[in-house]
Amino acid sequence: MAERMIVIGGDAAGMAAASQARRRRDRDDLEIVAFERGRFTSYSACGIPYWISGLVEERDQLVAREPEVFRDEFDIDVRLRHEVTAIDLDRREVVVRDLTAGRELREGFDTLMYAVGASPRLPEWARDEVQGVFGVQTLDDGAALRAWLDADPAPRSAVVVGGGYIGVEMAEALIQRGLAVTLVEQAAQPMSTVDEDMAALVADAMRATGIEIRTGVEVTGLTERDGRVAAVVTADGPIPADVVVLGLGVRPNTGLAEAAGMPLGPSGALRVDRRMRVVGVPGVWAAGDCVESLHRVSGAAVHIPLGTHANKQGRVAGINIGGGYATFPGVIGTAVTKVCELEVARTGLREREAREAGFEFVSVLTESTSRAGYFPGARPMTVKLIAERPTGRLLGAQIVGRSEAAKRIDALAVALWNGMTVEDMTSLDLGYAPPYAPVWDPVLIAARKTVDALLR
Ligand SMILES: Cc1cc2nc3c(=O)[nH]c(=O)nc-3n(C[C@H](O)[C@H](O)[C@H](O)COP(=O)(O)OP(=O)(O)OC[C@H]3O[C@@H](n4cnc5c(N)ncnc54)[C@H](O)[C@@H]3O)c2cc1C
């Protein structure tokens, strides 16, 4: 009889695992059933802000693979609108609620793939039944927000609560749709994924596009009119809002796993080994936004919910379930985003993280340009490097600039991944031609200045 694999969660991690397992084992050997509580599989949540803004025209452009493709080409039985409500490890069964038919099923498994992602953090005040408040995590969430924005009369004012990268991308999307947008952030700057000096550049650029930013302000409640949101309440007074978007970060969806007795790590996400097996739970695998990863620089277990990790981890799990051998080597915190015209990138540790990890370091900010200074379209670029003192090992890097800035982080990520020192980096053979870089690329200038700082 075929072994039975059940996948919970039909997006990046879950379907990557399912497809990889199927590539190695046919249906007679492995039956695969995937439960997804939403209406979509393998969609790009990362693309939601660009569909909300209108840059991406059709919702279905964000769907990489429809359930039919999984059924017909991969022989994977995808069941949409099916929510797993419990895992019974003793009986090797999951309890599933068919949300369309309104009935409950129990389904047995030999192998379980837990890939349920994360959920937006919900403050107390957002739990009331007031309409017009949206977290954005799944394509269903995006579709609900888009329907609210497309309604007649259309909302005119928006408040984004929280200035993480999702909040910042959503603020951009909403201003591009013509709404009056206020971003409310409790900290001193939005964009807390980079250091404050770099985040200040992001805040300036956002203000220049018309987004109002209120920092050091906490939202404590909502006011409503006929059950619909009318304003957010803050200590500074109410801010009108026909729509509220939550950008307060996410929490790993560990509830089902915890209830089944699976272990959580220090980050609060599920503990897995390097082959993506849930630690101490035979036959159960997990990947994506619900698990923690090893940070290769700090050595800490971290929860960094990104699509890039979810896809790689799901692939690793699937290869192993399929009988192959693969490991996930950890993360270094590389991330890029775009805020209006500004590109923002980071890799490795921020100053605070380097301090918390116990490193002695120097951190150096360098201003340069994206192209040769005389070449049309050359734009300013700020690069910040953090290097261990006295070894000079690169610990972290951040870039804020306009065109051609963000993806320069990849060179720095490769250097950091390979443990290079800033001294080594000064002679890296990076490409140069006036339309692409100054003769000393911003990355090389930053490395040189950091070497100087280490010698001081
Ligand atoms: C607006 C936005 C922008 C982003 N931009 C980027 C970016 O630019 N770069 C990047 O690397 N990452 C980005 N991300 C993060 C990225 O989308 C996630 O890291 C990735 O989707 C995680 O994949 P996952 O499969 O672990 O979880 P998810 O994509 O969240 O999928 C989990 C699935 O499980 C389903 N599910 C949950 N519980 C159950 C249950 N009990 N039963 C059945 N199904 C269940 C959910 O409906 C969901 O479809 C962005 C995310 C958002 C929201």
Side-chain angles (χ1 to χ4, degrees), residues 37-379:
R37 72 175 165 202
R39 293 178 294 141
F40 306 96
T41 48
S42 286
Y43 50 88
S44 169
C46 317
I48 292 172
Y50 309 104
W51 174 49
I52 298 290
S53 73
L55 191 66
V56 173
E57 286 175 13
E58 299 295 332
R59 182 196 66 198
D60 290 349
Q61 290 176 262
L62 301 184
V63 178
R65 267 192 199 136
E66 308 273 355
E68 296 74 29
V69 176
F70 285 112
R71 281 187 207 120
D72 299 344
E73 291 177 24
F74 288 79
D75 228 332
I76 296 170
D77 178 4
V78 177
R79 307 210 198 147
L80 297 182
R81 306 256 311 135
H82 279 68
E83 179 171 16
V84 174
T85 53
I87 301 168
D88 185 336
L89 286 176
D90 295 330
R91 297 173 66 165
R92 314 256 345 135
E93 284 179 351
V94 290
V95 181
V96 188
R97 179 121 200 108
D98 175 343
L99 299 173
T100 310
R103 64 195 166 110
E104 196 168 276
L105 334 157
R106 292 185 80 96
E107 297 275 353
F109 64 83
D110 301 296
T111 300
L112 184 66
M113 178 71 215
Y114 189 79
V116 292
S119 297
R121 282 176 200 276
L122 274 190
E124 258 331 298
W125 51 261
R127 291 174 202 183
D128 299 340
E129 289 298 301
V130 178
Q131 290 177 42
V133 181
F134 299 89
V136 186
Q137 189 63 24
T138 62
L139 196 46
D140 286 282
D141 296 339
L145 171 59
R146 178 80 199 234
W148 186 265
L149 294 171
D150 287 343
D152 189 18
R156 286 189 304 214
S157 59
V159 170
V160 176
V161 185
Y165 82 94
I166 291 180
V168 161
E169 287 180 3
M170 291 308 300
E172 177 190 3
L174 293 165
I175 198 124
Q176 283 176 350
R177 281 186 71 110
L179 280 85
V181 180
T182 308
L183 186 143
V184 183
E185 167 61 55
Q186 211 177 343
Q189 297 288 357
M191 206 67 211
S192 53
T193 51
V194 292
D195 286 331
E196 274 187 21
D197 46 2
M198 300 295 272
L201 304 174
V202 181
D204 289 346
M206 290 175 74
R207 286 194 178 99
T209 68
I211 297 170
E212 189 180 338
I213 301 181
R214 304 267 196 102
T215 52
V217 175
E218 188 187 356
V219 173
T220 52
L222 297 173
T223 62
E224 56 156 308
R225 198 178 309 115
D226 304 327
R228 297 162 67 94
V229 66
V232 299
V233 178
T234 73
D236 284 0
I239 307 172
D242 299 327
V243 58
V244 173
V245 174
L246 302 174
L248 294 162
V250 296
R251 239 180 235 299
N253 285 334
T254 53
L256 287 178
E258 258 187 293
M262 296 187 216
L264 302 191
S267 72
L270 208 53
R271 271 189 73 200
V272 287
D273 67 13
R274 58 183 63 233
R275 294 186 70 189
M276 308 312 298
R277 291 178 286 219
V278 175
V279 174
V281 189
V284 181
W285 307 71
D289 281 5
C290 55
V291 306
E292 63 181 24
S293 306
L294 167 74
H295 197 294
R296 291 168 61 97
V297 184
S298 68
V302 290
H303 179 235
I304 301 184
L306 286 176
T308 173
H309 309 322
N311 279 286
K312 292 187 189 101
Q313 291 172 342
R315 181 171 184 275
V316 166
I319 291 173
N320 289 317
I321 293 168
Y325 180 84
T327 58
F328 184 71
V331 302
I332 55 172
T334 309
V336 287
T337 190
K338 182 178 97 55
V339 191
C340 311
E341 280 223 311
L342 215 60
E343 299 183 5
V344 187
R346 63 161 287 178
T347 189
L349 305 178
R350 288 174 294 160
E351 282 190 35
R352 184 162 56 87
E353 292 163 335
R355 213 169 286 122
E356 282 168 5
F359 287 109
E360 297 266 323
F361 60 87
V362 294
S363 98
V364 177
L365 211 74
T366 316
E367 303 288 351
S368 45
T369 53
S370 56
R371 304 174 179 180
Y374 57 81
F375 199 88
R379 308 302 297 270

Side-chain angles (χ1 to χ4, degrees), residues 418-442:
N418 288 297
M420 287 180 77
T421 64
V422 280
E423 175 79 53
D424 295 335
M425 288 170 55
T426 54
S427 24
L428 278 174
D429 186 5
L430 302 183
Y432 158 66
Y436 298 111
V439 69
W440 284 93
D441 189 272

